[in-house]
Amino acid sequence: MNSRLLAAAVLIALSFSAMGQYVRLNDKGAKNGLYFNYDRVWSYNQYEASRWGGGLRYDIGFSEASRLKCLSLDGYVGYGYADERWKWGLMADLQGRSSREPHLYVGYIHDLAQDAHLRLSSPSVNDLSFLDGLMAGRFSAVDRFFVGGGGKASRRLTLGAEIRYSREQRLYDYRYMYYEPADLELLPEYRLLEARLMAEHSRGLRAELVVGSGHCLYHGNQIDIEPYARLLAQYRRSRPIALFTFSASAQAGITTKGAPYSRMFDLGGHWGSPLLLSQSLVSVRPSEFAANLFAAASAKLGFTKPLFNFHLDVLNIGMRPRPFVQAGALWGHLWGQDEEGLLWNYELPLLSPSRGIAEVGVGIDGLVRWGVADWGLALFYRLTPAAARYHSEGRGANLSLLFTASLAI
């Protein structure tokens, strides 16, 4: 993906952020509401390249006397430029009229799913971290039926539960991404029945537990998968400190030994992207690392307000520089790995950051304000133990220079 296309992607995201995730299409005074979902308009990843589509939601309201508040009918379609395939999904969500905000939902998707992902929320163009998917290339084609529900257990705590059945076809090996049906027959295909529990606290803590079992079809053989479990938790918090804003995040996860790769943890970063993204380490290559057990943390300290404010109205260009420093660290382990942290999984070589990896960076946001976007620069350096298999010699191999982008509204 070239820098020009990436810049265009950021401008698209920023403009959508200013507009909001959903736009109502019918009269606001109507009892029922029809909405268009901008999150489904455009996305990018290494498998599909550009993906275009759209989503609609129709809300059917109930009377004030009813114990039911609303029935939401949601659907979307998408088309990938590189794989030339249509994807779609349907869901119905019934919401109760209570302070606990209870709801029940059922749905079906025919789509791609990023294997071993670390995201605990749906990507949204309202959050630039959704662009992390730009560097993702390990996907499975998924047909999934799911049913679940949830609500508030307290004022700050929200809980949810879901049962799902998935048919998943891996679309890659360690060398290539595959598109032709004849090639896909050589890759593992899974049938998985799972229970999923979710928890979210308003103070920045999220957690997800997945428990499942099933079987794998590989080279004409059916291989049973022993029951497995996957627990992932994350914490994110941002707070002002005098003239600065301090942001911290942490993630940790663990799986049982029998978990398929798609339920493990892909610890890859976004090295190679010209844009500074969140959620992963800058200096780690996409899918460079994987783990059954991992811990990661990052912190950023930057000026809340710019050092100065300059704007040229004629050209709609300005400067609002806000320096920052940032650091991150990552450690992981694979069950059954060798002394160097290497493990083979269905002809897929996996490497864990078993000796640890860290990075430090400095940058300036808002070097240039153009339209609704603040652009800046950042420089990061990768730190690894000399004995690690993934250690690289030389400054050039460990330095990363990137652009930064943020909404300027």
Side-chain angles (χ1 to χ4, degrees), residues 297-311:
S298 65
K300 178 180 179 181
L301 181 66
F303 280 86
T304 303
K305 296 183 179 180
L307 300 180
F308 60 86
N309 191 348
F310 168 78
H311 195 267

Side-chain angles (χ1 to χ4, degrees), residues 31 60-72 93-98 102-104:
K31 178 182 178 181
I60 303 172
F62 295 93
S63 68
E64 294 290 337
S66 174
R67 301 177 65 177
L68 300 176
K69 180 180 179 181
C70 178
L71 173 62
S72 293
D93 189 350
L94 184 62
Q95 303 164 33
R97 192 184 303 276
S98 166
H103 70 112
L104 296 171

Side-chain angles (χ1 to χ4, degrees), residues 140-395:
S140 288
V142 174
D143 285 282
R144 176 178 295 160
F145 172 79
F146 55 93
V147 58
K152 288 189 174 182
S154 66
R155 186 169 60 91
R156 295 185 176 274
L157 180 63
T158 301
L159 299 177
E162 180 180 286
I163 298 293
R164 62 190 188 186
Y165 177 78
S166 305
R167 174 181 175 180
E168 305 182 4
Q169 172 67 67
R170 185 182 290 182
L171 301 174
Y172 58 90
D173 62 15
Y174 70 96
R175 298 167 299 172
Y176 308 112
M177 296 177 290
Y178 293 92
Y179 298 89
E180 298 299 326
D183 295 328
L184 298 181
E185 293 178 358
L186 303 176
L187 299 171
E189 181 180 330
Y190 295 87
R191 305 286 195 279
L192 301 174
L193 178 63
E194 298 174 315
R196 178 171 168 249
L197 303 175
M198 301 84 72
E200 179 180 356
H201 196 275
S202 61
R203 293 192 179 275
L205 182 64
R206 289 175 181 254
E208 177 188 79
L209 173 65
V210 175
V211 178
S213 66
H215 63 265
C216 171
L217 302 176
Y218 190 53
H219 292 306
N221 299 314
Q222 179 173 308
I223 304 171
D224 290 333
I225 299 173
E226 62 185 70
Y228 59 87
R230 179 189 200 255
L231 176 63
L232 176 62
Q234 73 177 30
Y235 174 81
R236 290 192 184 130
R237 197 72 171 166
S238 182
R239 57 175 296 182
I241 302 177
L243 300 176
F244 308 98
T245 296
F246 177 73
S247 302
S249 66
Q251 273 193 319
I254 185 171
T255 79
T256 56
K257 187 176 181 180
Y261 171 72
S262 63
R263 300 314 190 258
M264 294 164 63
F265 304 109
D266 185 337
L267 305 181
H270 57 273
W271 183 90
S273 166
L275 183 70
L276 175 61
L277 307 173
S278 61
Q279 313 286 330
S280 57
L281 295 187
V282 171
S283 57
V284 174
R285 288 159 176 76
S287 298
E288 181 177 357
F289 299 123
N292 293 106
L293 173 66
F294 86 98
S298 65
K300 178 180 179 181
L301 181 66
F303 280 86
T304 303
K305 296 183 179 180
L307 300 180
F308 60 86
N309 191 348
F310 168 78
H311 195 267
L312 191 60
D313 293 333
V314 176
L315 299 176
N316 198 24
I317 293 177
M319 296 181 66
R320 293 170 54 87
R322 302 182 305 280
F324 68 86
V325 294
Q326 186 170 325
L330 174 66
W331 173 88
H333 181 86
L334 289 162
W335 307 135
Q337 67 180 28
D338 65 16
E339 294 181 355
E340 294 188 318
L342 184 64
L343 175 73
W344 285 84
N345 181 285
Y346 288 96
E347 301 182 12
L348 189 68
L350 305 178
L351 179 67
S352 73
S354 56
R355 298 181 184 270
I357 180 172
E359 65 182 21
V360 292
V362 296
I364 303 179
D365 288 323
L367 277 177
V368 176
R369 168 168 287 193
W370 183 25
V372 297
D374 274 350
W375 296 89
L377 289 174
L379 183 67
F380 280 79
Y381 191 79
R382 171 171 168 146
L383 302 167
T384 55
R389 181 187 179 98
Y390 45 86
H391 176 71
S392 298
E393 297 287 350
R395 294 181 180 178

Side-chain angles (χ1 to χ4, degrees), residues 80-161:
Y81 174 79
D83 63 342
E84 298 180 341
R85 294 180 186 139
W86 286 97
K87 296 88 179 176
W88 53 270
L90 297 170
M91 188 175 77
D93 189 350
L94 184 62
Q95 303 164 33
R97 192 184 303 276
S98 166
S99 60
R100 299 292 185 181
E101 299 181 5
H103 70 112
L104 296 171
Y105 60 87
V106 60
Y108 187 90
I109 62 169
H110 173 77
D111 207 334
L112 300 184
Q114 185 181 346
D115 283 356
H117 68 90
L118 301 180
R119 181 178 288 278
L120 287 179
S121 58
S122 300
S124 170
V125 295
N126 288 311
D127 176 6
L128 274 182
S129 66
F130 97 103
L131 289 170
D132 281 1
L134 290 168
M135 307 307 295
R138 290 185 171 178
F139 289 89
S140 288
V142 174
D143 285 282
R144 176 178 295 160
F145 172 79
F146 55 93
V147 58
K152 288 189 174 182
S154 66
R155 186 169 60 91
R156 295 185 176 274
L157 180 63
T158 301
L159 299 177

Side-chain angles (χ1 to χ4, degrees), residues 20-23 25 35-42 53-57 74-76 124-125:
Q21 180 180 353
Y22 282 95
V23 171
L25 300 179
Y35 301 86
F36 182 75
N37 186 355
Y38 273 104
D39 278 348
R40 299 291 183 177
V41 172
W42 180 87
L56 289 174
R57 191 186 80 198
D74 207 330
Y76 71 88
S124 170
V125 295

